Amino acid sequence: SGTVSVGLASQHVQVDGLRGTVAGHRFQLAGPLACIGDLRTAPFDLTVRLPGLNLQPPYAPLLMAFEPVQDSLERVEPRGAMDVRVFVSRPQGGNIAIDGLIECHDAGIRFAHFPYPLTNLEGTITFDEKLVRFNHVTALAGESAVVIDGSAGTYAKNPFIDFTVTADDAQFDERIAACLPDKFQTVWDQFAMQGHGALIARVTHEQGNPDPPKISVEVDVADGSGYMRSLPYPFTSAHGKLIFGSEETRVEHMTLRGAAGGEILLNGVVHHLRGEVADLRPELTVVAALPIEQTLLHALPLEYSDKLRGVELGGKLAFNGAYRRIGEGDAGAAEITGALSISEGRFARKENLLEISGIAGSVTLLPHGSVQVKNLAGQAFGLDVTARGTVDLDHATGALALDVAQTGFLLPQTLPAPIPAAAQELWKTYAPTGHTDIHATASITVGEGTYVVKDYRVTLDPKGVALHNAAWPEPIDKLGGDVVLAPGKVTMEGMVASSGPAHATWEGRYDTDSGACLLRGEVTSDGPPGKWVTWLPHGVQSFLTDAKVGGTLHADITTLERPATGKDWTFAGSIGAKSLTIGGAVPITVDAGAIALEGSMGPVGLAANGTLASSGVNFTGKRIETLAAKLTLDPKTKKLRIEDLEGKVADGTLQGTITASFDGAGGYEANLVLADADLSRLLLPATATAEDRAKVGTGHVTASLAVQQTFGPTGERTGRGELAIKDGVLYNVPLAMGLMQVATLRLPVARSFDGASMTYYLRNDQVTFEKILLESKGINLAGAGTLSLANRGLDLTFVTESPDDWNLPIISMIITTTRKELLQVAVTGTLDNPKVAPVPLSGITSTLRNLLPLPRAQEK
């Protein structure tokens, strides 16, 4: 319906208000049409209106009639409610010109080059035969408001595009990725992100450029979550900017919160040169402060995470560095460089029980997978450890230098697994317990997942440490000094230790590979060295037990050495004693003495040679000023021979030999001879005065003793000896004077004994005197009996005889007659307090008389 006017004079047709419907769309048409000549070139000027258009594809033929309109519809895909006005004109002989606009009321579009579905479109879109222009057109992208500005070519022959979509708060999901060209969806997928924020999408294409349009999408994330596929660490609370370009994607100040806390700040670019998104090359700077946990470790590139299998890590890290990928395609490798600091860290490897806690410090991640450890500290087995060095993570090789310093360290039951097996076996053998100050340095070589400790040096300053070797009779404790452990050797300096009553000081070295050992030192013990005597031959043990040896014993070890494990020990040194006491039936004391020895120890036994030197030996109350001898110990016969024995006793000499047997319960055999000893010096102590010695008298004592003894529960002692005093003047010999006074009715006499002799034999603790003879010009005494060594008790009987008559006027006959009635005397009591008393004659009298020498008158 409407009006059409035909002007014959003007040769044109005027269309005015022509209305109708085509394919369900209402339209209005107005304007002049020329009708002269060829209609294909005739000028016209028409206005087409489509009010209240509710456009839905497929589009009506009327709308698809013109190629520019058809191209525009295909690119924009409009739909929904809108008012359309199109001005179409052609001057005389010219081309058709189009100019129009679209008033959007509740429309939707899907632009071919950024096909994010937009709804609720409001605003004006203008177009002509060249361009379609959007002037601040608003719409909804999902639930987000967007603004569209820019222009695009009206049809395919004009590919110019400068088109921008902005949103202050858009949702970032798969719809954004769907808007990108296929090759750029891979870039978006690298971030696998969900969230919302500001969006600026711009599509540009220059006139005459044969390349596809350039699309850049700037995403200003306000709150996102997701991860980067190349570093798949889940994050939340993301904010920052992503700018997707045709050859690169820029990341600007992208802050991410880690899944387990902490933050990551990313800046940089992901290159996809020439649009090759299959070969993405990120170059990102990374600033991170994150807890170290499994999620983060699993997010590392495979070439790194594979090397951490079997390792437990924990703590906090701060990183400031760069992440990039080098190489092309699948051959490309991740490279992380920068400064990494760690605090409250923990490293554990179950397979070798190695655990390091409290890790703190910094490392530098170098190119090509290397890590430079600058100053990394932690605690392993209770020790403060610092490390420095370089490790190649790509090849799992490297070298680290470790420093350990600890005061009052509690020694562990076992050493860490990386410590060499020889050192661990040594540790197990001696089982040290207690505390020590420790300082150690070590070099660790890393290779193919293994750790080898070499070039280590450990200095231990024990504080009351105890050693518990199962082969020892008792532990060694109160250990102190400096112990230095190095590859293949242990060095000991200034060492001190105790074990029972024994106290030792020493120094030395030990080769852990060969077992070679060299020691020097001293051992002092109050009495036998506790349970260590069980290491001595059984016979020596029995002797020390039975004799109740006491005093201070001292061993000076000049060298104690063996060339290797299983080889014999050689030694040189001395064994000394002070205030030595040997109990038993025959007590012996020694003021001081020493035995110098050298020899060897091996499976056969102990072999030794040496010399003995002592002073102040007291034997059954008799003092030996000096004593020297040679010693030989034969391990095959298990006998110690003391020969060339020579001593000084009361200005006389003591000589003899002693053979000790260590086979079975043990025992000894001795043969001793004393010659020309001074009587007074033999009887009186060294402190006696000349007056005291004069009261005793003078004489030269000669004696011999042969004795043997076996030890143990069934041991026994036997012996025989003789004693003679010649050239004597015996005055105040207590026992002799007592006997003389009894024999002479206690009359004061000025005469003295001038000689004495005795023979005896020994059986266990009893001495049996076969003969005791005291001689003088006035009287002779002969006796026999026993002496108990256990209680020093006496049981002796003597008879007397007067070799010469005394010339006493008148009473001589009386005295002689009386004396003959008192010929037998008994001596009892003890050596210290003898009791002398006359007894009636008995059957022993005649036996004792046979011991008396012949009368001097008969001799004459």
Side-chain angles (χ1 to χ4, degrees):
S1 65
T3 303
V4 178
S5 302
V6 178
L8 298 178
S10 61
Q11 296 183 346
H12 70 276
V13 176
Q14 178 68 38
V15 180
D16 186 16
L18 185 65
R19 296 177 177 84
T21 300
V22 177
H25 298 294
R26 293 184 298 113
F27 71 91
Q28 298 177 0
L29 182 65
L33 286 162
C35 55
I36 299 175
D38 189 349
L39 293 180
R40 292 175 296 180
T41 59
F44 63 86
D45 188 0
L46 294 176
T47 301
V48 180
R49 296 177 183 271
L50 298 171
L53 178 65
N54 186 5
L55 192 63
Q56 299 293 335
Y59 301 115
L62 175 64
L63 300 179
M64 304 295 287
F66 301 101
E67 183 180 356
V69 178
Q70 178 181 338
D71 286 345
S72 298
L73 291 175
E74 290 177 349
R75 291 186 182 190
V76 179
E77 293 185 11
R79 67 187 64 205
M82 61 190 74
D83 293 332
V84 180
R85 183 172 58 188
V86 181
F87 304 97
V88 184
S89 64
R90 181 171 61 189
Q92 182 67 41
N95 296 321
I96 296 176
I98 298 177
D99 189 11
L101 60 86
I102 301 173
E103 294 287 347
C104 299
H105 301 297
D106 189 11
I109 63 173
R110 188 180 182 90
F111 183 49
H113 298 294
F114 189 74
Y116 197 101
L118 301 178
T119 61
N120 299 95
L121 205 66
E122 300 285 346
T124 302
I125 302 173
T126 63
F127 58 89
D128 55 26
E129 71 277 7
K130 293 182 179 181
L131 296 174
V132 177
R133 302 177 183 86
F134 291 80
N135 184 19
H136 212 68
V137 176
T138 64
L140 291 180
E143 297 179 356
S144 302
V146 300
V147 177
I148 307 170
D149 286 290
S151 58
T154 306
Y155 54 96
K157 293 180 180 180
N158 180 22
F160 171 82
I161 301 175
D162 188 353
F163 182 88
T164 302
V165 178
T166 61
D168 293 334
D169 189 9
Q171 293 295 321
F172 305 131
D173 50 30
E174 64 279 358
R175 289 174 293 183
I176 292 290
C179 295
L180 299 172
D182 291 341
K183 62 182 180 180
F184 296 130
Q185 291 183 19
T186 306
V187 179
W188 174 264
D189 289 343
Q190 287 295 308
F191 296 91
M193 185 175 66
Q194 301 285 330
H196 65 86
L199 170 70
I200 300 176
R202 186 179 183 190
V203 182
T204 59
H205 191 230
E206 297 178 358
Q207 184 70 37
N209 189 341
D211 294 332
K214 293 183 178 180
I215 300 176
S216 67
V217 179
E218 183 177 314
V219 177
D220 195 351
V221 182
D223 185 12
S225 62
Y227 57 89
M228 283 180 56
R229 293 190 185 278
S230 57
L231 188 68
Y233 181 63
F235 59 82
T236 59
S237 305
H239 57 277
K241 186 175 290 186
L242 297 174
I243 302 173
F244 294 89
S246 59
E247 293 193 346
E248 66 179 26
T249 299
R250 302 194 62 80
V251 182
E252 296 182 357
H253 210 73
M254 178 65 70
T255 301
L256 315 171
R257 180 169 294 277
E263 285 189 347
I264 305 172
L265 175 62
L266 300 176
N267 282 283
V269 61
V270 179
H271 295 285
H272 31 91
L273 300 177
R274 298 175 300 278
E276 296 294 334
V277 294
D279 184 18
L280 298 177
R281 299 191 183 185
E283 292 184 1
L284 302 175
T285 62
V286 182
V287 178
L290 298 170
I292 303 172
E293 37 78 38
Q294 291 301 313
T295 305
L296 175 63
L297 300 179
H298 291 159
L300 294 175
L302 189 61
E303 53 265 36
Y304 292 110
S305 59
D306 277 351
K307 296 176 177 63
L308 296 176
R309 290 181 180 177
V311 173
E312 293 183 3
L313 294 175
K316 300 177 181 178
L317 66 80
F319 178 71
N320 189 341
Y323 167 76
R324 66 173 184 157
R325 194 167 188 87
I326 56 178
E328 296 184 2
D330 295 337
E335 181 179 86
I336 301 176
T337 59
L340 177 68
S341 61
I342 302 173
S343 61
E344 302 176 21
R346 176 178 175 271
F347 173 94
R349 183 179 286 274
K350 293 182 178 179
E351 63 189 31
N352 55 14
L353 302 178
L354 178 62
E355 180 174 345
I356 304 174
S357 61
I359 301 173
S362 61
V363 301
T364 300
L365 304 181
L366 303 174
H368 311 298
S370 295
V371 176
Q372 182 181 13
V373 181
K374 293 183 176 179
N375 186 20
L376 202 60
Q379 284 193 330
F381 296 93
L383 293 170
D384 293 332
V385 182
T386 59
R388 60 187 182 278
T390 303
V391 177
D392 185 341
L393 295 180
D394 288 341
H395 301 91
T397 59
L400 293 174
L402 298 183
D403 286 298
V404 178
Q406 192 72 32
T407 300
F409 172 65
L410 178 62
L411 297 177
Q413 292 183 352
T414 57
L415 291 179
I419 297 296
Q424 294 197 44
E425 188 63 27
L426 191 66
W427 192 270
K428 184 186 300 183
T429 299
Y430 293 99
T433 60
H435 295 78
T436 183
D437 294 346
I438 183 171
H439 180 265
T441 59
S443 296
I444 295 183
T445 299
V446 184
E448 297 300 328
T450 62
Y451 304 83
V452 178
V453 178
K454 64 177 185 178
D455 297 332
Y456 62 88
R457 180 181 176 87
V458 182
T459 301
L460 302 174
D461 183 6
K463 306 295 184 182
V465 169
L467 303 179
H468 306 79
N469 190 332
W472 291 348
E474 58 183 316
I476 293 177
D477 56 14
K478 299 179 183 177
L479 182 66
D482 291 323
V483 180
V484 179
L485 290 84
K489 66 180 180 179
V490 178
T491 304
M492 295 164 281
E493 298 178 355
M495 301 302 296
V496 297
S498 297
S499 183
H503 305 277
T505 61
W506 76 95
E507 62 181 22
R509 63 178 183 269
Y510 175 76
D511 190 308
T512 58
D513 296 328
S514 66
C517 185
L518 174 62
L519 298 174
R520 301 183 183 88
E522 298 179 350
V523 179
T524 301
S525 179
D526 293 329
K531 297 179 181 179
W532 290 92
V533 297
T534 59
W535 272 18
L536 299 174
H538 184 67
V540 179
Q541 296 182 49
S542 297
F543 168 74
L544 294 175
T545 301
D546 294 348
K548 299 179 177 60
V549 175
T552 301
L553 304 179
H554 178 84
D556 188 350
I557 305 170
T558 305
T559 59
L560 177 59
E561 185 175 12
R562 72 174 180 186
T565 301
K567 301 296 183 180
D568 289 356
W569 290 87
T570 58
F571 63 88
S574 63
I575 300 175
K578 291 183 179 180
S579 303
L580 179 66
T581 61
I582 302 175
V586 183
I588 300 174
T589 64
V590 180
D591 293 347
I595 301 174
L597 291 172
E598 61 179 18
S600 63
M601 294 183 294
V604 176
L606 176 65
N609 294 283
T611 58
L612 166 68
S614 64
S615 62
V617 179
N618 298 286
F619 179 77
T620 64
K622 303 301 180 287
R623 185 175 182 81
I624 305 173
E625 283 81 9
T626 61
L627 188 64
K630 294 182 179 179
L631 295 85
T632 303
L633 178 61
D634 188 342
K636 296 181 179 179
T637 61
K638 294 182 172 55
K639 288 186 178 181
L640 170 66
R641 183 170 177 79
I642 303 174
E643 54 191 357
D644 295 339
L645 188 147
E646 187 169 345
K648 184 178 180 182
V649 181
D651 291 337
T653 59
L654 176 66
Q655 296 178 325
T657 61
I658 301 174
T659 301
S661 174
F662 303 123
D663 194 8
Y668 67 88
E669 179 180 343
N671 291 280
L672 304 173
V673 176
L674 175 66
D676 297 325
D678 181 85
L679 176 64
S680 64
R681 292 182 180 277
L682 192 62
L683 293 177
L684 297 178
T687 58
T689 64
E691 182 180 354
D692 294 334
R693 298 186 187 283
K695 291 179 181 179
V696 171
T698 62
H700 296 91
V701 180
T702 299
S704 65
L705 173 64
V707 63
Q708 62 183 16
Q709 181 177 359
T710 57
F711 299 110
T714 61
E716 59 180 20
R717 175 172 49 190
T718 60
R720 177 169 290 279
E722 295 182 358
L723 180 144
I725 302 174
K726 296 180 180 180
D727 304 323
V729 179
L730 283 66
Y731 286 114
N732 193 21
V733 181
L735 176 58
M737 291 307 298
L739 293 172
M740 183 179 288
Q741 290 177 0
V742 171
T744 59
L745 298 178
R746 298 186 181 274
L747 295 176
V749 296
R751 296 185 181 185
S752 62
F753 290 109
D754 56 17
S757 63
M758 69 174 66
T759 60
Y760 59 90
Y761 66 86
L762 174 66
R763 182 71 173 177
N764 294 328
D765 287 343
Q766 182 168 290
V767 179
T768 301
F769 294 96
E770 298 174 304
K771 171 187 174 181
I772 301 176
L773 179 60
L774 300 173
E775 298 181 75
S776 72
K777 293 180 180 181
I779 189 170
N780 295 326
L781 287 86
T786 61
L787 166 65
S788 173
L789 296 177
N791 56 21
R792 302 169 67 84
L794 296 171
D795 186 7
L796 303 173
T797 303
F798 288 86
V799 295
T800 65
E801 178 186 63
S802 296
D804 299 311
D805 289 335
W806 294 348
N807 296 317
L808 297 177
I810 304 172
I811 66 171
S812 178
M813 184 180 296
I814 299 174
I815 292 176
T816 301
T817 303
T818 306
R819 186 174 62 234
K820 291 178 180 179
E821 293 297 328
L822 299 173
L823 292 177
Q824 189 167 332
V825 179
V827 181
T828 58
T830 65
L831 281 174
D832 298 326
N833 185 22
K835 297 178 181 180
V836 181
V839 296
L841 298 176
S842 64
I844 198 175
T845 302
S846 59
T847 302
L848 294 177
R849 282 187 181 275
N850 292 330
L851 301 178
L852 293 169
L854 294 175
R856 297 178 190 274
Q858 297 178 13
E859 291 177 0
K860 296 175 182 178

